[in-house]
Amino acid sequence: RNILPTPPRYTVQVSVRPTAEPADAKKEARQALNGYPQGKFNAPCLVLDGAALSLCVTHHQRLFMEVACAAPAVLCCRCTPTQKAEIVRLIRQTMPGACTAAIGDGGNDVGMIQAAHVGIGIEGREGRQAALAADFSLKQFSHLGRLVLWHGRNCYLRSATLSQFVIHRGLIISVIQAVFSSLFYFAPVALYDGILVAGYATIFTYGPVFSLVLDEDVSESNALKFPELYRELQKRRYLSIKTFLIWTWKAVYQGCVIMLGGIILFEQRFVHVVGITFTALILTELIMVAVEVKRWHPLMLLAQVLTLLVYLACIVALSSPDFLGGSMAIFDIRFMLSVPFACRAAILTAASTVPIWFGKVCSHYCAPRVVSKLS
């Protein structure tokens, strides 16, 4: 005798009988919620209509949100615009760490779209009210996959890398100045001239650092072909306190190495230590950008080359007192064209970047990312 297995339940419906008394309706709704099989691998979806949803939210809000958050999907049909917005607000209150997205195509979805973290409006037959009230507007619902899996992925990764790199860029020069002041009994003397500081924040690092917005860790076809790759980003590991501390440690380490190494390799004049340390600082930033790049873009290479050419031109210009209006030259062009200068700058740059690069390579082999399996 063959015994067929019991087929799984794909949905659990919470409904209210129109003829039921209020007390009986509350009891039935509570029994339906308590009967939901939480914790199972193939847990069914939860289905509610507008009347059942209003009853659950009003009288069994805590139990309803517990069951709804445990279900793989919750279908709420025949809901009013107020109920749609209320559901989004309840999710945000129950799960503060969750990021909510609301998608709608009509005017009755405006409240829900505005209540969510991210609102997506679809331009359809019901007008453009949802699209105008949303953060993002789509022509078709089928474009949602590309918006999230491709543009959303790039936006998150690029913003995370760029924001932390900007912090690193400003912190490393501050550490160099702090180490310099501590070595000379905290004398209020600036290591770098104002022109160098302004150039460092603009023309010497602006192009390479901001070219990181062109970086891609995976091709668009693979991002759409393997939606599982997006699950890695939901863990929020690329922009966190841990990554901030790592970038802070990098800036502190590199700033100390460049300044202390510049003092050790200091020769005769103060202008020499300025030239050595500032050149090592610029080269370190360029190499750090190259280390973080996952896929090179032609504009990235162009930014690197142009930055080096601009810095070389500035070395020549800032070595002339006439260019600075008769004041003392910032660089010594004869020393900076010599072999000892090149060796010292190369040693400082290698000491500040090679350990960072080695640690990144070890991290890649010890804990590879999911994306690396596609290459």
Side-chain angles (χ1 to χ4, degrees), residues 302-314:
L302 181 62
Q304 295 270 355
V305 174
L306 288 179
T307 299
L308 284 176
L309 294 178
V310 169
Y311 180 62
L312 294 176
C314 289

Side-chain angles (χ1 to χ4, degrees), residues 21-39:
E21 296 293 334
D24 296 336
K26 296 178 188 178
K27 185 177 179 180
E28 293 176 1
R30 186 174 185 84
Q31 289 177 351
L33 293 175
N34 286 327
Y36 181 83
Q38 298 186 38

Side-chain angles (χ1 to χ4, degrees), residues 59-211:
H59 301 284
H60 310 296
Q61 179 176 321
R62 184 175 180 180
L63 177 61
F64 168 68
M65 292 308 300
E66 180 181 349
V67 173
C69 293
V74 180
L75 303 179
C76 301
C77 40
R78 300 298 179 183
C79 298
T80 63
T82 305
Q83 288 178 320
K84 295 180 181 180
E86 187 177 7
I87 287 296
V88 176
R89 285 191 289 267
L90 285 176
I91 294 176
R92 296 185 62 170
Q93 294 174 5
T94 307
M95 304 175 64
C99 183
T100 58
I103 308 171
D105 61 349
N108 57 347
D109 300 320
V110 172
M112 175 185 65
I113 289 174
Q114 294 179 342
H117 290 98
V118 180
I120 303 173
I122 302 176
E123 299 181 13
R125 298 179 179 177
E126 299 186 21
R128 301 185 59 189
Q129 294 182 4
L132 294 175
D135 302 306
F136 301 95
S137 176
L138 300 177
K139 288 289 186 180
Q140 301 177 11
F141 185 80
S142 59
H143 297 165
L144 181 63
R146 189 166 184 264
L147 174 66
V148 176
L149 300 178
W150 175 242
H151 294 291
R153 178 186 189 86
N154 289 335
C155 181
Y156 172 70
L157 292 177
R158 292 168 179 176
S159 299
T161 304
L162 181 61
S163 59
Q164 295 174 123
F165 215 103
V166 170
I167 295 174
H168 170 272
R169 183 185 65 168
L171 185 58
I172 185 174
I173 193 172
S174 301
V175 171
I176 291 176
Q177 178 63 49
V179 173
F180 172 78
S181 299
S182 62
L183 292 176
F184 292 95
Y185 306 99
F186 297 97
V189 179
L191 174 62
Y192 300 130
D193 191 87
I195 297 179
L196 294 183
V197 176
Y200 172 78
T202 54
I203 59 175
F204 296 150
T205 59
Y206 184 87
V209 170
F210 283 88
S211 66

Side-chain angles (χ1 to χ4, degrees), residues 172-253:
I172 185 174
I173 193 172
S174 301
V175 171
I176 291 176
Q177 178 63 49
V179 173
F180 172 78
S181 299
S182 62
L183 292 176
F184 292 95
Y185 306 99
F186 297 97
V189 179
L191 174 62
Y192 300 130
D193 191 87
I195 297 179
L196 294 183
V197 176
Y200 172 78
T202 54
I203 59 175
F204 296 150
T205 59
Y206 184 87
V209 170
F210 283 88
S211 66
L212 291 171
V213 298
L214 303 173
D215 194 16
E216 300 174 0
D217 66 332
V218 65
S219 63
E220 181 179 357
S221 59
N222 285 334
L224 299 177
K225 185 178 181 181
F226 302 99
E228 298 82 2
L229 297 175
Y230 190 79
R231 189 175 302 171
E232 185 181 14
L233 303 183
Q234 293 178 320
K235 301 176 182 178
R236 303 180 182 181
R237 294 179 177 176
Y238 298 96
L239 186 60
S240 61
I241 297 178
K242 179 181 177 181
T243 58
F244 172 76
L245 294 177
I246 291 175
W247 279 95
T248 302
W249 174 84
K250 291 179 182 179
V252 172
Y253 166 76

